[in-house]
Structure formats: C-alpha cells, structure tokens
Amino acid sequence: MDNHHVIGQLIHKLRRMERQPRMFGEAGALTPSEMHTIEAIGCGEGILMSELALKLSITKGAATQIVSRLEREGFVSRHAHPVDLRAVVVQLEERGKIAFLSHEEMHKEFIQALREELGDDGYRTFEKGIAKFIEFL
C-alpha cells in the first residue's frame, strides 16, 4: 500500500470517527467534538467561552452549541464572569470531570501501547511525522 493511500485512509477514518460517540467510563458516550470540548475546558477553574472557541479553532456560535448540549447532559455548567458580566465562564461538572479523567487514562494507555510497539526512538520519529502531517493540514 503506498503512503498516499494510507494517509487518505487515515483522513477518511478520522472524519468518520468524528461523528461516532465513544464510551468514557461512567460518564457515558460522547462524540469526539464533545470530548475535545471537555478536554479544552479541563479540570481547572474553567475557561471563558471566547477562549474555548479560540482553543478549539471554532466560532463562538459553534462553541455555544456544543456547550449547550454538554450542559443539558450535565457535563458542564456556565456562569457569569465574576468581574466582566458580559463574559461567560464554562467549567466541568462532576460528570465532565469523570469523562476528562477517563479520556486522560485512555490517552496514556494509547501512548504506552505505541511506545511498546515502536520503542522510544520510533515513538519520537512518529511524533515528528504526525507534527509535520498536522502542519500540512
């Protein structure tokens, strides 16, 4: 299989996966875009909606739609900023924290499996290749 075909298959599979929910422990099923949003919010003090949109490279409207869905499902909550009443802070609720931690664990297991398969040098080369691939996208 030539490299162009493999890269094309990777892109196609990633696009298809973006619509498929995955289980994240006791938190339940989330689509990758929902999980990316939870990951961007993080377990800290929360994030401004405008910062969230920037971090995800999406519009504020798209961020609002995802956050609204996550809020209805009990993953996040929105609050007025304590100083700037025009700004909105989003933070994880308990269910969101469970999903965040489950995703972190899944990520660690994936990295460990790659390191075991490729070795440390192979893994570093793989990371460099992926970074270059991202640059081209």
Side-chain angles (χ1 to χ4, degrees), residues 40 50-60 62-63:
S50 56
E51 291 174 353
L52 179 62
L54 276 174
K55 200 171 187 181
L56 294 172
S57 300
I58 60 177
T59 65
K60 290 179 190 175

Side-chain angles (χ1 to χ4, degrees), residues 15-125:
R15 285 185 178 152
R16 203 174 46 217
M17 285 176 60
E18 194 65 27
R19 296 183 293 271
Q20 299 298 317
R22 286 185 82 163
M23 290 301 291
F24 289 94
E26 295 175 22
L30 291 159
T31 64
S33 61
E34 291 169 334
M35 192 60 239
H36 294 315
T37 303
I38 287 171
E39 184 179 32
I41 294 167
C43 276
E45 299 296 313
I47 187 171
L48 293 172
M49 282 291 289
S50 56
E51 291 174 353
L52 179 62
L54 276 174
K55 200 171 187 181
L56 294 172
S57 300
I58 60 177
T59 65
K60 290 179 190 175
T64 299
Q65 285 182 350
I66 294 172
V67 167
S68 293
R69 188 168 57 242
L70 290 171
E71 189 173 39
R72 278 192 306 273
E73 295 175 13
F75 289 99
V76 302
S77 59
R78 288 184 271 198
H79 308 281
H81 189 276
V83 177
D84 183 356
L85 296 181
R86 297 169 298 154
V88 175
V89 178
V90 184
Q91 63 187 66
L92 297 182
E93 291 298 322
E94 193 58 36
R95 189 173 182 199
K97 290 176 183 176
I98 291 168
F100 180 87
L101 295 173
S102 176
H103 181 259
E104 287 287 301
E105 186 60 33
M106 184 178 71
H107 188 258
K108 286 177 189 174
E109 289 172 7
F110 176 68
I111 298 301
Q112 181 62 33
L114 278 176
R115 282 187 183 279
E116 287 173 9
E117 181 70 26
L118 303 174
D120 287 338
D121 289 340
Y123 180 76
R124 281 190 291 277
T125 301

